[in-house]
Amino acid sequence: MATPSASKKKKKRIRHVINMESKLKIIAELSKGKSQRLVADVFKVPKSTVFDIWKDREKIQHFVTINQNPTLSKKRCVIKDVHFGELDRACHLWFIHQRTKGAPVSGPLIQE
């Protein structure tokens, strides 16, 4: 005979993904002294999400300030580290140089 808890299906946890712009707004509200519960209710996210954003506030603010394109960085949701930073920067510089010369650049050409 199955126990009542074994027969119940577990509900999947809903993942709340928030862009950097909203995260910065949450950090600003918390910096003003508002409670996490109040901010969570305003942004319609769980309190744990607000806590995690507050905990990672320095990393979030640093990511937005050092990013080359602040408009795009605010639309992003996740901070990911680059595994090959030097190669990425070199490829980006080459791409910019080729575009300023007016040379057509495509995906296969970049992969070479």
Side-chain angles (χ1 to χ4, degrees):
M1 188 163 149
T3 61
S5 61
S7 63
K8 291 183 183 178
K9 289 186 178 182
K10 285 188 177 182
K11 286 179 73 177
K12 278 190 119 177
R13 184 173 89 76
I14 298 172
R15 184 173 175 173
H16 297 274
V17 181
I18 302 169
N19 62 15
M20 291 295 163
E21 188 173 13
S22 296
K23 289 179 184 181
L24 289 173
K25 288 178 184 176
I26 289 172
I27 292 169
E29 292 297 315
L30 292 172
S31 297
K32 291 178 187 175
K34 292 189 178 178
S35 71
Q36 290 183 0
R37 171 64 61 202
L38 181 65
V39 174
D41 290 342
V42 169
F43 285 90
K44 295 178 178 64
V45 294
K47 185 181 172 194
S48 61
T49 302
V50 173
F51 176 79
D52 290 339
I53 292 169
W54 181 248
K55 183 180 70 173
D56 294 335
R57 68 185 175 275
E58 290 176 3
K59 191 186 325 181
I60 293 167
Q61 291 169 335
H62 179 69
F63 175 78
V64 172
T65 56
I66 66 163
N67 204 327
Q68 293 178 351
N69 191 342
T71 308
L72 286 178
S73 69
K74 288 183 178 180
K75 292 181 180 179
R76 290 189 60 169
C77 297
V78 180
I79 300 172
K80 289 189 178 180
D81 292 333
V82 177
H83 294 289
F84 303 105
E86 301 249 345
L87 179 63
D88 190 42
R89 282 188 285 282
C91 186
H92 186 254
L93 287 173
W94 174 83
F95 176 78
I96 291 172
H97 181 68
Q98 293 298 318
R99 295 300 291 165
T100 55
K101 289 191 326 186
V105 180
S106 64
L109 185 62
I110 294 173
Q111 291 175 353
E112 291 176 9

